[in-house]
PDB file of all heavy atoms in Angstrom:
ATOM      1  N   GLU Q   1     -39.427  57.002   0.694  1.00 98.00           N
ATOM      2  CA  GLU Q   1     -39.477  57.516  -0.675  1.00 98.00           C
ATOM      3  C   GLU Q   1     -40.894  57.647  -1.335  1.00 98.00           C
ATOM      4  O   GLU Q   1     -41.178  58.629  -1.946  1.00 98.00           O
ATOM      5  CB  GLU Q   1     -38.587  56.642  -1.581  1.00 98.00           C
ATOM      6  CG  GLU Q   1     -38.494  57.112  -3.071  1.00 98.00           C
ATOM      7  CD  GLU Q   1     -37.650  56.178  -3.831  1.00 98.00           C
ATOM      8  OE1 GLU Q   1     -37.246  55.120  -3.341  1.00 98.00           O
ATOM      9  OE2 GLU Q   1     -37.560  56.404  -5.054  1.00 98.00           O
ATOM     10  N   GLY Q   2     -41.642  56.567  -1.046  1.00 98.00           N
ATOM     11  CA  GLY Q   2     -42.983  56.594  -1.501  1.00 98.00           C
ATOM     12  C   GLY Q   2     -43.938  57.693  -0.942  1.00 98.00           C
ATOM     13  O   GLY Q   2     -44.614  58.334  -1.671  1.00 98.00           O
ATOM     14  N   ARG Q   3     -43.728  58.023   0.392  1.00 98.00           N
ATOM     15  CA  ARG Q   3     -44.458  59.030   0.895  1.00 98.00           C
ATOM     16  C   ARG Q   3     -44.015  60.435   0.372  1.00 98.00           C
ATOM     17  O   ARG Q   3     -44.909  61.266   0.156  1.00 98.00           O
ATOM     18  CB  ARG Q   3     -44.225  59.004   2.478  1.00 98.00           C
ATOM     19  CG  ARG Q   3     -45.059  57.872   3.167  1.00 98.00           C
ATOM     20  CD  ARG Q   3     -44.974  58.037   4.680  1.00 98.00           C
ATOM     21  NE  ARG Q   3     -43.637  57.748   5.246  1.00 98.00           N
ATOM     22  CZ  ARG Q   3     -43.181  56.551   5.657  1.00 98.00           C
ATOM     23  NH1 ARG Q   3     -44.091  55.479   5.470  1.00 98.00           N
ATOM     24  NH2 ARG Q   3     -42.019  56.339   6.078  1.00 98.00           N
ATOM     25  N   GLU Q   4     -42.685  60.610   0.210  1.00 98.00           N
ATOM     26  CA  GLU Q   4     -42.252  61.899  -0.249  1.00 98.00           C
ATOM     27  C   GLU Q   4     -42.672  62.080  -1.728  1.00 98.00           C
ATOM     28  O   GLU Q   4     -42.983  63.277  -2.115  1.00 98.00           O
ATOM     29  CB  GLU Q   4     -40.743  61.974  -0.104  1.00 98.00           C
ATOM     30  CG  GLU Q   4     -40.235  62.015   1.269  1.00 98.00           C
ATOM     31  CD  GLU Q   4     -40.777  63.211   2.068  1.00 98.00           C
ATOM     32  OE1 GLU Q   4     -40.847  64.286   1.504  1.00 98.00           O
ATOM     33  OE2 GLU Q   4     -41.264  62.965   3.183  1.00 98.00           O
ATOM     34  N   GLU Q   5     -42.708  61.027  -2.428  1.00 97.00           N
ATOM     35  CA  GLU Q   5     -43.102  61.162  -3.820  1.00 97.00           C
ATOM     36  C   GLU Q   5     -44.612  61.628  -3.879  1.00 97.00           C
ATOM     37  O   GLU Q   5     -45.028  62.524  -4.702  1.00 97.00           O
ATOM     38  CB  GLU Q   5     -42.941  59.778  -4.586  1.00 97.00           C
ATOM     39  CG  GLU Q   5     -43.313  59.834  -6.071  1.00 97.00           C
ATOM     40  CD  GLU Q   5     -42.997  58.518  -6.709  1.00 97.00           C
ATOM     41  OE1 GLU Q   5     -43.438  57.448  -6.301  1.00 97.00           O
ATOM     42  OE2 GLU Q   5     -42.179  58.532  -7.635  1.00 97.00           O
ATOM     43  N   LEU Q   6     -45.451  60.987  -3.066  1.00 97.00           N
ATOM     44  CA  LEU Q   6     -46.879  61.425  -3.033  1.00 97.00           C
ATOM     45  C   LEU Q   6     -46.991  62.822  -2.607  1.00 97.00           C
ATOM     46  O   LEU Q   6     -47.800  63.577  -3.225  1.00 97.00           O
ATOM     47  CB  LEU Q   6     -47.627  60.497  -1.943  1.00 97.00           C
ATOM     48  CG  LEU Q   6     -47.964  59.096  -2.450  1.00 97.00           C
ATOM     49  CD1 LEU Q   6     -48.399  58.198  -1.298  1.00 97.00           C
ATOM     50  CD2 LEU Q   6     -49.059  59.087  -3.473  1.00 97.00           C
ATOM     51  N   LYS Q   7     -46.254  63.269  -1.675  1.00 97.00           N
ATOM     52  CA  LYS Q   7     -46.297  64.637  -1.205  1.00 97.00           C
ATOM     53  C   LYS Q   7     -45.906  65.597  -2.337  1.00 97.00           C
ATOM     54  O   LYS Q   7     -46.479  66.700  -2.418  1.00 97.00           O
ATOM     55  CB  LYS Q   7     -45.443  64.854  -0.008  1.00 97.00           C
ATOM     56  CG  LYS Q   7     -45.902  64.155   1.302  1.00 97.00           C
ATOM     57  CD  LYS Q   7     -44.982  64.416   2.418  1.00 97.00           C
ATOM     58  CE  LYS Q   7     -45.381  63.608   3.631  1.00 97.00           C
ATOM     59  NZ  LYS Q   7     -44.356  63.693   4.710  1.00 97.00           N
ATOM     60  N   ALA Q   8     -44.851  65.227  -3.075  1.00 96.00           N
ATOM     61  CA  ALA Q   8     -44.367  66.028  -4.114  1.00 96.00           C
ATOM     62  C   ALA Q   8     -45.522  66.200  -5.243  1.00 96.00           C
ATOM     63  O   ALA Q   8     -45.762  67.289  -5.745  1.00 96.00           O
ATOM     64  CB  ALA Q   8     -43.138  65.478  -4.774  1.00 96.00           C
ATOM     65  N   PHE Q   9     -46.119  65.022  -5.625  1.00 96.00           N
ATOM     66  CA  PHE Q   9     -47.201  65.170  -6.577  1.00 96.00           C
ATOM     67  C   PHE Q   9     -48.348  65.888  -6.124  1.00 96.00           C
ATOM     68  O   PHE Q   9     -49.021  66.610  -6.863  1.00 96.00           O
ATOM     69  CB  PHE Q   9     -47.570  63.676  -7.003  1.00 96.00           C
ATOM     70  CG  PHE Q   9     -46.589  62.923  -7.817  1.00 96.00           C
ATOM     71  CD1 PHE Q   9     -46.520  61.560  -7.781  1.00 96.00           C
ATOM     72  CD2 PHE Q   9     -45.677  63.564  -8.607  1.00 96.00           C
ATOM     73  CE1 PHE Q   9     -45.602  60.804  -8.479  1.00 96.00           C
ATOM     74  CE2 PHE Q   9     -44.724  62.870  -9.387  1.00 96.00           C
ATOM     75  CZ  PHE Q   9     -44.678  61.505  -9.328  1.00 96.00           C
ATOM     76  N   GLN Q  10     -48.646  65.800  -4.823  1.00 96.00           N
ATOM     77  CA  GLN Q  10     -49.748  66.559  -4.267  1.00 96.00           C
ATOM     78  C   GLN Q  10     -49.556  68.059  -4.378  1.00 96.00           C
ATOM     79  O   GLN Q  10     -50.387  68.848  -4.693  1.00 96.00           O
ATOM     80  CB  GLN Q  10     -49.994  66.064  -2.820  1.00 96.00           C
ATOM     81  CG  GLN Q  10     -51.280  66.712  -2.207  1.00 96.00           C
ATOM     82  CD  GLN Q  10     -51.420  66.253  -0.729  1.00 96.00           C
ATOM     83  OE1 GLN Q  10     -50.471  66.175   0.046  1.00 96.00           O
ATOM     84  NE2 GLN Q  10     -52.620  65.871  -0.420  1.00 96.00           N
ATOM     85  N   ARG Q  11     -48.278  68.440  -4.110  1.00 95.00           N
ATOM     86  CA  ARG Q  11     -47.974  69.892  -4.186  1.00 95.00           C
ATOM     87  C   ARG Q  11     -48.128  70.366  -5.649  1.00 95.00           C
ATOM     88  O   ARG Q  11     -48.412  71.526  -5.829  1.00 95.00           O
ATOM     89  CB  ARG Q  11     -46.589  70.078  -3.760  1.00 95.00           C
ATOM     90  CG  ARG Q  11     -46.361  70.019  -2.191  1.00 95.00           C
ATOM     91  CD  ARG Q  11     -45.039  70.556  -1.733  1.00 95.00           C
ATOM     92  NE  ARG Q  11     -43.909  69.742  -2.210  1.00 95.00           N
ATOM     93  CZ  ARG Q  11     -43.378  68.729  -1.582  1.00 95.00           C
ATOM     94  NH1 ARG Q  11     -43.905  68.328  -0.360  1.00 95.00           N
ATOM     95  NH2 ARG Q  11     -42.439  68.030  -2.069  1.00 95.00           N
ATOM     96  N   GLN Q  12     -47.930  69.456  -6.580  1.00 94.00           N
ATOM     97  CA  GLN Q  12     -48.099  69.870  -7.955  1.00 94.00           C
ATOM     98  C   GLN Q  12     -49.499  69.989  -8.396  1.00 94.00           C
ATOM     99  O   GLN Q  12     -49.849  70.419  -9.518  1.00 94.00           O
ATOM    100  CB  GLN Q  12     -47.363  68.876  -8.887  1.00 94.00           C
ATOM    101  CG  GLN Q  12     -45.873  68.804  -8.720  1.00 94.00           C
ATOM    102  CD  GLN Q  12     -45.212  67.631  -9.466  1.00 94.00           C
ATOM    103  OE1 GLN Q  12     -45.781  67.106 -10.466  1.00 94.00           O
ATOM    104  NE2 GLN Q  12     -44.054  67.234  -9.036  1.00 94.00           N
ATOM    105  N   GLY Q  13     -50.417  69.539  -7.454  1.00 93.00           N
ATOM    106  CA  GLY Q  13     -51.861  69.718  -7.806  1.00 93.00           C
ATOM    107  C   GLY Q  13     -52.477  68.674  -8.748  1.00 93.00           C
ATOM    108  O   GLY Q  13     -53.441  68.899  -9.432  1.00 93.00           O
ATOM    109  N   ILE Q  14     -51.772  67.520  -8.842  1.00 93.00           N
ATOM    110  CA  ILE Q  14     -52.256  66.499  -9.745  1.00 93.00           C
ATOM    111  C   ILE Q  14     -53.385  65.565  -9.313  1.00 93.00           C
ATOM    112  O   ILE Q  14     -53.995  64.860 -10.093  1.00 93.00           O
ATOM    113  CB  ILE Q  14     -51.093  65.601 -10.379  1.00 93.00           C
ATOM    114  CG1 ILE Q  14     -50.511  64.811  -9.207  1.00 93.00           C
ATOM    115  CG2 ILE Q  14     -49.955  66.525 -10.898  1.00 93.00           C
ATOM    116  CD1 ILE Q  14     -49.492  63.803  -9.735  1.00 93.00           C
ATOM    117  N   TYR Q  15     -53.547  65.665  -7.996  1.00 96.00           N
ATOM    118  CA  TYR Q  15     -54.712  64.845  -7.401  1.00 96.00           C
ATOM    119  C   TYR Q  15     -55.921  65.777  -7.240  1.00 96.00           C
ATOM    120  O   TYR Q  15     -55.762  66.971  -7.023  1.00 96.00           O
ATOM    121  CB  TYR Q  15     -54.287  64.173  -6.177  1.00 96.00           C
ATOM    122  CG  TYR Q  15     -53.066  63.312  -6.215  1.00 96.00           C
ATOM    123  CD1 TYR Q  15     -51.937  63.550  -5.565  1.00 96.00           C
ATOM    124  CD2 TYR Q  15     -53.177  62.198  -7.060  1.00 96.00           C
ATOM    125  CE1 TYR Q  15     -50.839  62.702  -5.777  1.00 96.00           C
ATOM    126  CE2 TYR Q  15     -52.063  61.278  -7.211  1.00 96.00           C
ATOM    127  CZ  TYR Q  15     -50.885  61.581  -6.501  1.00 96.00           C
ATOM    128  OH  TYR Q  15     -49.780  60.805  -6.673  1.00 96.00           O
ATOM    129  N   PRO Q  16     -57.102  65.218  -7.066  1.00 95.00           N
ATOM    130  CA  PRO Q  16     -58.295  66.088  -6.855  1.00 95.00           C
ATOM    131  C   PRO Q  16     -58.189  66.748  -5.512  1.00 95.00           C
ATOM    132  O   PRO Q  16     -57.559  66.174  -4.506  1.00 95.00           O
ATOM    133  CB  PRO Q  16     -59.510  65.131  -6.985  1.00 95.00           C
ATOM    134  CG  PRO Q  16     -58.879  63.727  -6.684  1.00 95.00           C
ATOM    135  CD  PRO Q  16     -57.457  63.876  -7.214  1.00 95.00           C
ATOM    136  N   ASP Q  17     -58.833  67.881  -5.397  1.00 95.00           N
ATOM    137  CA  ASP Q  17     -58.969  68.585  -4.085  1.00 95.00           C
ATOM    138  C   ASP Q  17     -59.844  67.785  -3.167  1.00 95.00           C
ATOM    139  O   ASP Q  17     -60.980  67.350  -3.586  1.00 95.00           O
ATOM    140  CB  ASP Q  17     -59.589  69.910  -4.321  1.00 95.00           C
ATOM    141  CG  ASP Q  17     -59.740  70.845  -3.105  1.00 95.00           C
ATOM    142  OD1 ASP Q  17     -59.629  70.159  -1.944  1.00 95.00           O
ATOM    143  OD2 ASP Q  17     -59.974  71.954  -3.223  1.00 95.00           O
ATOM    144  N   PRO Q  18     -59.405  67.437  -1.987  1.00 96.00           N
ATOM    145  CA  PRO Q  18     -60.332  66.615  -1.038  1.00 96.00           C
ATOM    146  C   PRO Q  18     -61.710  67.228  -0.939  1.00 96.00           C
ATOM    147  O   PRO Q  18     -62.641  66.516  -0.734  1.00 96.00           O
ATOM    148  CB  PRO Q  18     -59.497  66.654   0.298  1.00 96.00           C
ATOM    149  CG  PRO Q  18     -58.125  66.895  -0.117  1.00 96.00           C
ATOM    150  CD  PRO Q  18     -58.160  67.756  -1.357  1.00 96.00           C
ATOM    151  N   ALA Q  19     -61.854  68.586  -0.972  1.00 95.00           N
ATOM    152  CA  ALA Q  19     -63.062  69.185  -0.744  1.00 95.00           C
ATOM    153  C   ALA Q  19     -63.999  68.950  -1.935  1.00 95.00           C
ATOM    154  O   ALA Q  19     -65.303  69.177  -1.888  1.00 95.00           O
ATOM    155  CB  ALA Q  19     -62.933  70.707  -0.535  1.00 95.00           C
ATOM    156  N   SER Q  20     -63.509  68.448  -3.028  1.00 94.00           N
ATOM    157  CA  SER Q  20     -64.306  68.262  -4.223  1.00 94.00           C
ATOM    158  C   SER Q  20     -64.957  66.813  -4.237  1.00 94.00           C
ATOM    159  O   SER Q  20     -65.816  66.525  -5.089  1.00 94.00           O
ATOM    160  CB  SER Q  20     -63.500  68.443  -5.511  1.00 94.00           C
ATOM    161  OG  SER Q  20     -62.635  67.384  -5.706  1.00 94.00           O
ATOM    162  N   LEU Q  21     -64.515  65.975  -3.277  1.00 96.00           N
ATOM    163  CA  LEU Q  21     -64.926  64.637  -3.379  1.00 96.00           C
ATOM    164  C   LEU Q  21     -66.194  64.354  -2.635  1.00 96.00           C
ATOM    165  O   LEU Q  21     -66.479  64.808  -1.502  1.00 96.00           O
ATOM    166  CB  LEU Q  21     -63.910  63.681  -2.781  1.00 96.00           C
ATOM    167  CG  LEU Q  21     -62.466  63.730  -3.413  1.00 96.00           C
ATOM    168  CD1 LEU Q  21     -61.568  62.661  -2.735  1.00 96.00           C
ATOM    169  CD2 LEU Q  21     -62.610  63.288  -4.970  1.00 96.00           C
ATOM    170  N   GLN Q  22     -67.100  63.589  -3.195  1.00 94.00           N
ATOM    171  CA  GLN Q  22     -68.312  63.120  -2.539  1.00 94.00           C
ATOM    172  C   GLN Q  22     -68.132  61.769  -1.971  1.00 94.00           C
ATOM    173  O   GLN Q  22     -69.014  61.351  -1.121  1.00 94.00           O
ATOM    174  CB  GLN Q  22     -69.505  63.139  -3.543  1.00 94.00           C
ATOM    175  CG  GLN Q  22     -70.119  64.405  -3.751  1.00 94.00           C
ATOM    176  CD  GLN Q  22     -69.287  65.429  -4.580  1.00 94.00           C
ATOM    177  OE1 GLN Q  22     -69.037  65.045  -5.799  1.00 94.00           O
ATOM    178  NE2 GLN Q  22     -68.931  66.473  -4.102  1.00 94.00           N
ATOM    179  N   ALA Q  23     -67.074  61.028  -2.336  1.00 96.00           N
ATOM    180  CA  ALA Q  23     -66.836  59.740  -1.753  1.00 96.00           C
ATOM    181  C   ALA Q  23     -65.336  59.406  -1.998  1.00 96.00           C
ATOM    182  O   ALA Q  23     -64.781  59.761  -2.992  1.00 96.00           O
ATOM    183  CB  ALA Q  23     -67.709  58.658  -2.254  1.00 96.00           C
ATOM    184  N   LEU Q  24     -64.757  58.629  -1.039  1.00 98.00           N
ATOM    185  CA  LEU Q  24     -63.385  58.103  -1.181  1.00 98.00           C
ATOM    186  C   LEU Q  24     -63.499  56.659  -0.925  1.00 98.00           C
ATOM    187  O   LEU Q  24     -63.740  56.139   0.249  1.00 98.00           O
ATOM    188  CB  LEU Q  24     -62.478  58.847  -0.145  1.00 98.00           C
ATOM    189  CG  LEU Q  24     -61.073  58.316  -0.012  1.00 98.00           C
ATOM    190  CD1 LEU Q  24     -60.294  58.456  -1.334  1.00 98.00           C
ATOM    191  CD2 LEU Q  24     -60.298  59.120   1.048  1.00 98.00           C
ATOM    192  N   PHE Q  25     -63.186  55.881  -1.858  1.00 98.00           N
ATOM    193  CA  PHE Q  25     -63.173  54.370  -1.775  1.00 98.00           C
ATOM    194  C   PHE Q  25     -61.734  53.934  -1.631  1.00 98.00           C
ATOM    195  O   PHE Q  25     -60.850  54.388  -2.307  1.00 98.00           O
ATOM    196  CB  PHE Q  25     -63.944  53.672  -2.966  1.00 98.00           C
ATOM    197  CG  PHE Q  25     -65.248  54.167  -3.146  1.00 98.00           C
ATOM    198  CD1 PHE Q  25     -65.643  54.817  -4.252  1.00 98.00           C
ATOM    199  CD2 PHE Q  25     -66.201  53.801  -2.147  1.00 98.00           C
ATOM    200  CE1 PHE Q  25     -66.963  55.250  -4.457  1.00 98.00           C
ATOM    201  CE2 PHE Q  25     -67.629  54.171  -2.383  1.00 98.00           C
ATOM    202  CZ  PHE Q  25     -67.896  54.902  -3.494  1.00 98.00           C
ATOM    203  N   VAL Q  26     -61.483  52.931  -0.765  1.00 98.00           N
ATOM    204  CA  VAL Q  26     -60.092  52.490  -0.458  1.00 98.00           C
ATOM    205  C   VAL Q  26     -60.078  51.067  -0.251  1.00 98.00           C
ATOM    206  O   VAL Q  26     -60.943  50.440   0.402  1.00 98.00           O
ATOM    207  CB  VAL Q  26     -59.637  53.255   0.865  1.00 98.00           C
ATOM    208  CG1 VAL Q  26     -58.151  52.945   1.126  1.00 98.00           C
ATOM    209  CG2 VAL Q  26     -59.722  54.744   0.730  1.00 98.00           C
ATOM    210  N   SER Q  27     -59.004  50.405  -0.773  1.00 98.00           N
ATOM    211  CA  SER Q  27     -58.685  49.019  -0.485  1.00 98.00           C
ATOM    212  C   SER Q  27     -58.332  48.896   1.043  1.00 98.00           C
ATOM    213  O   SER Q  27     -57.812  49.939   1.596  1.00 98.00           O
ATOM    214  CB  SER Q  27     -57.454  48.634  -1.249  1.00 98.00           C
ATOM    215  OG  SER Q  27     -56.855  47.456  -0.719  1.00 98.00           O
ATOM    216  N   PRO Q  28     -58.592  47.784   1.633  1.00 98.00           N
ATOM    217  CA  PRO Q  28     -58.264  47.692   3.080  1.00 98.00           C
ATOM    218  C   PRO Q  28     -56.748  47.450   3.424  1.00 98.00           C
ATOM    219  O   PRO Q  28     -56.471  47.540   4.618  1.00 98.00           O
ATOM    220  CB  PRO Q  28     -59.070  46.366   3.459  1.00 98.00           C
ATOM    221  CG  PRO Q  28     -59.139  45.527   2.188  1.00 98.00           C
ATOM    222  CD  PRO Q  28     -59.313  46.578   1.031  1.00 98.00           C
ATOM    223  N   MET Q  29     -55.959  47.335   2.307  1.00 98.00           N
ATOM    224  CA  MET Q  29     -54.549  47.144   2.615  1.00 98.00           C
ATOM    225  C   MET Q  29     -53.860  48.368   3.167  1.00 98.00           C
ATOM    226  O   MET Q  29     -54.254  49.522   2.768  1.00 98.00           O
ATOM    227  CB  MET Q  29     -53.845  46.681   1.314  1.00 98.00           C
ATOM    228  CG  MET Q  29     -54.514  45.456   0.668  1.00 98.00           C
ATOM    229  SD  MET Q  29     -54.455  43.944   1.701  1.00 98.00           S
ATOM    230  CE  MET Q  29     -52.696  43.575   1.787  1.00 98.00           C
ATOM    231  N   GLU Q  30     -52.935  48.213   4.077  1.00 98.00           N
ATOM    232  CA  GLU Q  30     -52.254  49.329   4.694  1.00 98.00           C
ATOM    233  C   GLU Q  30     -51.754  50.325   3.769  1.00 98.00           C
ATOM    234  O   GLU Q  30     -51.863  51.549   4.011  1.00 98.00           O
ATOM    235  CB  GLU Q  30     -51.168  48.795   5.639  1.00 98.00           C
ATOM    236  CG  GLU Q  30     -50.410  49.838   6.423  1.00 98.00           C
ATOM    237  CD  GLU Q  30     -49.258  49.277   7.225  1.00 98.00           C
ATOM    238  OE1 GLU Q  30     -48.987  48.055   7.163  1.00 98.00           O
ATOM    239  OE2 GLU Q  30     -48.615  50.118   7.901  1.00 98.00           O
ATOM    240  N   ARG Q  31     -51.080  49.905   2.697  1.00 98.00           N
ATOM    241  CA  ARG Q  31     -50.499  50.858   1.797  1.00 98.00           C
ATOM    242  C   ARG Q  31     -51.488  51.769   1.092  1.00 98.00           C
ATOM    243  O   ARG Q  31     -51.143  52.891   0.783  1.00 98.00           O
ATOM    244  CB  ARG Q  31     -49.574  50.123   0.762  1.00 98.00           C
ATOM    245  CG  ARG Q  31     -50.327  48.958  -0.038  1.00 98.00           C
ATOM    246  CD  ARG Q  31     -49.315  48.114  -0.700  1.00 98.00           C
ATOM    247  NE  ARG Q  31     -49.784  47.001  -1.514  1.00 98.00           N
ATOM    248  CZ  ARG Q  31     -50.208  45.782  -0.968  1.00 98.00           C
ATOM    249  NH1 ARG Q  31     -49.994  45.522   0.299  1.00 98.00           N
ATOM    250  NH2 ARG Q  31     -50.588  44.847  -1.765  1.00 98.00           N
ATOM    251  N   CYS Q  32     -52.682  51.282   0.879  1.00 98.00           N
ATOM    252  CA  CYS Q  32     -53.756  52.143   0.313  1.00 98.00           C
ATOM    253  C   CYS Q  32     -54.327  53.032   1.353  1.00 98.00           C
ATOM    254  O   CYS Q  32     -54.643  54.231   1.105  1.00 98.00           O
ATOM    255  CB  CYS Q  32     -54.833  51.271  -0.251  1.00 98.00           C
ATOM    256  SG  CYS Q  32     -54.298  50.338  -1.781  1.00 98.00           S
ATOM    257  N   ARG Q  33     -54.548  52.493   2.527  1.00 98.00           N
ATOM    258  CA  ARG Q  33     -55.198  53.374   3.556  1.00 98.00           C
ATOM    259  C   ARG Q  33     -54.162  54.526   3.939  1.00 98.00           C
ATOM    260  O   ARG Q  33     -54.588  55.633   4.162  1.00 98.00           O
ATOM    261  CB  ARG Q  33     -55.479  52.560   4.790  1.00 98.00           C
ATOM    262  CG  ARG Q  33     -56.648  51.584   4.571  1.00 98.00           C
ATOM    263  CD  ARG Q  33     -57.137  50.821   5.834  1.00 98.00           C
ATOM    264  NE  ARG Q  33     -56.151  49.805   6.166  1.00 98.00           N
ATOM    265  CZ  ARG Q  33     -55.312  49.789   7.105  1.00 98.00           C
ATOM    266  NH1 ARG Q  33     -55.251  50.860   7.926  1.00 98.00           N
ATOM    267  NH2 ARG Q  33     -54.396  48.764   7.380  1.00 98.00           N
ATOM    268  N   GLU Q  34     -52.880  54.232   3.974  1.00 98.00           N
ATOM    269  CA  GLU Q  34     -51.924  55.220   4.252  1.00 98.00           C
ATOM    270  C   GLU Q  34     -51.797  56.280   3.155  1.00 98.00           C
ATOM    271  O   GLU Q  34     -51.736  57.524   3.395  1.00 98.00           O
ATOM    272  CB  GLU Q  34     -50.520  54.527   4.395  1.00 98.00           C
ATOM    273  CG  GLU Q  34     -49.450  55.562   4.965  1.00 98.00           C
ATOM    274  CD  GLU Q  34     -48.150  54.753   5.172  1.00 98.00           C
ATOM    275  OE1 GLU Q  34     -48.106  53.613   4.999  1.00 98.00           O
ATOM    276  OE2 GLU Q  34     -47.116  55.450   5.439  1.00 98.00           O
ATOM    277  N   THR Q  35     -51.912  55.880   1.948  1.00 98.00           N
ATOM    278  CA  THR Q  35     -51.892  56.772   0.763  1.00 98.00           C
ATOM    279  C   THR Q  35     -53.172  57.703   0.903  1.00 98.00           C
ATOM    280  O   THR Q  35     -53.084  58.948   0.649  1.00 98.00           O
ATOM    281  CB  THR Q  35     -51.878  56.051  -0.594  1.00 98.00           C
ATOM    282  OG1 THR Q  35     -50.678  55.267  -0.623  1.00 98.00           O
ATOM    283  CG2 THR Q  35     -51.936  56.993  -1.704  1.00 98.00           C
TER     284      THR Q  35
END
């Protein structure tokens, strides 16, 4: 359910375009790396 929710929000364009990012910082926890 969590993965599908992220995909749905991504399709709505609410997250930044990956091409626009100069850096991506991530917690080491699996759930953050997967997101």
Side-chain angles (χ1 to χ4, degrees):
E1 179 186 1
R3 286 189 289 270
E4 291 305 314
E5 185 174 58
L6 284 165
K7 292 176 184 176
F9 289 152
Q10 187 180 42
R11 288 193 293 270
Q12 295 171 23
I14 66 174
Y15 301 118
D17 182 344
S20 72
L21 299 181
Q22 279 72 60
L24 173 63
F25 301 115
V26 184
S27 158
M29 305 300 289
E30 178 182 5
R31 51 197 182 271
C32 292
R33 291 185 285 108
E34 188 178 354
T35 298

